[in-house]
Amino acid sequence: MRKLALAAVLLLIPVAPATASPGLRFEPCADVPEAGCATLRVPVDRARPDGPQVDLSVARRAAADPDRRIGVLMVNPGGPGGSAAQFAKDAPKLFSAEILARFDIVGYDPRGIGGSNPIYCDTSAVGLPHPAGRPDTPERFGELAAYNRALTEDCRSRTGPVFDQVDAQSAVQDMDDLRKALGEREITYYGMSYGTLYGQKYAERFGRNVRAMVIDSVVDASIPLPDLMEAGARAGEDIFAEFVRWCGDTPSCALHGKDIRALYAELRARAARGDLHVPDLPNQPLTPAELASRTVRHGYAPDFPRMAQYFATLSAQPAAGFGAATASRQSFAVLCQDVSGHPRNAAEVAAVDARVRAAAPTIQASPIWDLALTKCVGWQGPALNPAAPWQPVEAPQVLMLNSRHDPSTGYENAVNVHRQAGGKATLLTYDGTGHGVYDRTPCTRAVTDAYLLDLTVPRDGLSCPAV
């Protein structure tokens, strides 16, 4: 992983007094000069304020109309692993002109991500081969636990003490430190996907410091990993069903008239044998988990025509001959610290897999949470964010957004979190497909902008039609 770093600078950009940041010094970002970049230094462990520190990469787009400036809109695009600093730089791609005129758009890379002391690992230094197959037998579970422990120690030694403090609770304390450094009494917040978890935790701990909050495509932090896996499987199966329905109704679909479920079953079997490679990457095997992940991601926009072409391309591939394939990804420490209920033995893995297959008989996977299931086997680090219902007691009314057919954070998540809020949240439903609601239609944008700009809370249960 290439190291990204943004250093604090000595001169403050000339800005209107209302937007001055007493604890930060901004200079034009090297890649987006119209935005300002800075570094915020915070303790790795707040129980040891004089101990190791971590530098957080911050970016800001100042309000285009400072005379009408409302305040700071802090943003996070989710992931975990997404760069909120880059998200702020790219704000014109998402937010309306009026939002850009009235707010400073501010984002910071959460610790362990992007420009904020990213996590480093070297799989070649682990000294063990990555085990093949699911850890659903005692032998494979033991092999994977040993591999993961060795990998964790390598990551910890290369990353430093921040490796064990990349959880959501640390992230929201950093958010509040950033609020103070910006000189703001309150913040407005927009978080998407995993960024909704940070929003929920901030509203619980620092609700009095929130002017308004939008959580878009909602993570349910009240349930442990097995339940997250099952919910994620249902969301993936739902988007696949929407794709099959669309393809059957659309003559231009590359698979129109074909038995798509049977075709997918064949692709899963080929991926399990190591007979498929990632398109355009002939040396990279395509695993069943990666097949499911790429399938679901085609539903984010959604881009059903490309999904159909993707399946057609895979179906036409000759046998790759890799043998049974495994996948290795390194962005796991956040999930292992934030999610409770990691499997303790092979029987628990098998039980979760059975629930996933029952919930998703076609894709037979939970793409978003599968990483946590496999990478957190044998986890030796802290579990810092136990599952608990959301209770934003001191926060203002929060606006929740979710698609009826979201491939990643299924609609049931939003319904559950809305119920937990005890009347402190309002749910706007987009009656269509896709991940991310704010800019989905003129209806979703208008309702959200009215809330962010004027604090106009829509009627609870309002929906915007699909397009």
Side-chain angles (χ1 to χ4, degrees):
M1 187 184 298
R2 183 171 61 88
K3 184 174 182 179
L4 304 175
L6 291 172
V9 296
L10 300 177
L11 298 177
L12 186 67
I13 282 183
V15 290
T19 64
S21 304
L24 293 172
R25 295 182 180 275
F26 285 92
E27 70 170 1
C29 300
D31 54 340
V32 184
E34 56 269 33
C37 283
T39 299
L40 176 67
R41 177 164 291 185
V42 298
V44 169
D45 183 353
R46 286 186 169 77
R48 301 172 55 208
D50 297 327
Q53 307 287 299
V54 58
D55 290 334
L56 305 178
S57 175
V58 181
R60 178 183 68 181
R61 274 186 174 267
D65 188 348
D67 291 339
R68 297 193 302 136
R69 177 183 180 275
I70 294 172
V72 162
L73 175 60
M74 201 174 292
V75 297
N76 186 284
S83 169
Q86 190 63 48
F87 194 49
K89 296 175 193 176
D90 293 339
K93 297 179 181 178
L94 176 68
F95 294 105
S96 66
E98 189 66 4
I99 296 294
L100 296 171
R102 305 289 300 280
F103 288 99
D104 292 348
I105 312 295
V106 175
Y108 82 96
D109 289 352
R111 48 178 64 199
I113 292 168
S116 299
N117 199 150
I119 292 173
Y120 288 98
C121 308
D122 183 356
T123 55
S124 65
V126 171
L128 295 171
H130 192 291
R134 296 289 274 179
D136 53 2
T137 68
E139 181 181 16
R140 288 199 295 264
F141 188 92
E143 291 173 350
L144 183 58
Y147 179 89
N148 285 347
R149 284 193 291 267
L151 178 62
T152 295
E153 286 306 312
D154 178 84
C155 301
R156 183 179 285 121
S157 67
R158 295 175 190 278
T159 304
V162 76
F163 179 84
D164 291 308
Q165 299 279 342
V166 293
D167 60 296
Q169 295 292 351
S170 296
V172 300
Q173 182 64 64
D174 293 342
M175 285 173 60
D176 205 57
D177 284 354
L178 178 56
R179 174 193 64 81
K180 296 173 187 175
L182 291 166
E184 300 291 326
R185 186 177 66 84
E186 296 177 323
I187 62 166
T188 301
Y189 181 80
Y190 172 85
M192 180 181 168
S193 193
Y194 208 80
T196 68
L197 173 62
Y198 298 145
Q200 291 172 56
K201 297 303 179 183
Y202 190 85
E204 281 188 324
R205 290 183 59 185
F206 302 106
R208 292 181 180 178
N209 300 336
V210 177
R211 171 188 169 272
M213 177 174 288
V214 176
I215 51 175
D216 182 346
S217 305
V218 182
V219 170
D220 184 359
S222 72
I223 55 179
L225 180 60
D227 300 291
L228 288 168
M229 294 281 292
E230 186 176 353
R234 280 193 291 268
E237 190 76 4
D238 177 67
I239 203 66
F240 191 89
E242 288 296 298
F243 164 70
V244 170
R245 180 187 60 77
W246 171 86
C247 194
D249 294 341
T250 308
S252 63
C253 173
L255 300 176
H256 183 71
K258 296 184 181 297
D259 186 342
I260 298 175
R261 295 184 186 279
L263 183 148
Y264 191 89
E266 179 186 353
L267 292 177
R268 269 191 55 82
R270 291 185 61 189
R273 294 195 302 268
D275 283 345
L276 290 178
H277 64 78
V278 176
D280 300 323
L281 295 174
N283 294 321
Q284 183 175 331
L286 183 72
T287 67
E290 186 65 16
L291 171 64
S293 178
R294 288 170 181 259
T295 297
V296 165
R297 287 197 171 275
H298 279 115
Y300 274 35
D303 193 341
F304 287 160
R306 186 169 293 180
M307 185 187 292
Q309 189 57 55
Y310 178 67
F311 292 151
T313 299
L314 290 176
S315 184
Q317 276 188 18
F322 286 108
T326 61
S328 178
R329 295 169 61 189
Q330 304 311 320
S331 55
F332 64 95
V334 174
L335 287 176
C336 294
Q337 292 176 34
D338 276 344
V339 177
S340 60
H342 303 310
R344 295 166 295 183
N345 51 55
E348 290 186 358
V349 173
V352 171
D353 278 348
R355 291 174 62 179
V356 165
R357 288 193 298 272
T362 305
I363 67 169
Q364 296 189 23
S366 183
I368 305 306
W369 299 106
D370 193 71
L371 178 65
L373 179 74
T374 56
K375 286 298 184 184
C376 299
V377 164
W379 174 248
Q380 297 295 301
L384 301 173
N385 203 18
W390 184 37
Q391 297 180 322
V393 177
E394 296 185 324
Q397 196 74 5
V398 174
L399 178 60
M400 301 174 58
L401 313 176
N402 222 93
S403 295
R404 184 80 64 181
H405 302 286
D406 187 311
S408 175
T409 53
Y411 187 67
E412 66 181 271
N413 291 2
V415 172
N416 291 340
V417 173
H418 176 253
R419 183 175 59 248
Q420 296 162 27
K424 295 302 293 287
T426 298
L427 175 59
L428 171 68
T429 301
Y430 169 61
D431 281 324
T433 301
H435 187 55
V437 168
Y438 165 66
D439 63 341
R440 187 67 54 178
T441 72
C443 173
T444 58
R445 184 185 290 275
V447 172
T448 307
D449 278 3
Y451 170 78
L452 290 173
L453 294 165
D454 305 319
L455 302 180
T456 301
V457 179
R459 171 179 57 83
D460 197 20
L462 180 68
S463 63
C464 287
V467 297

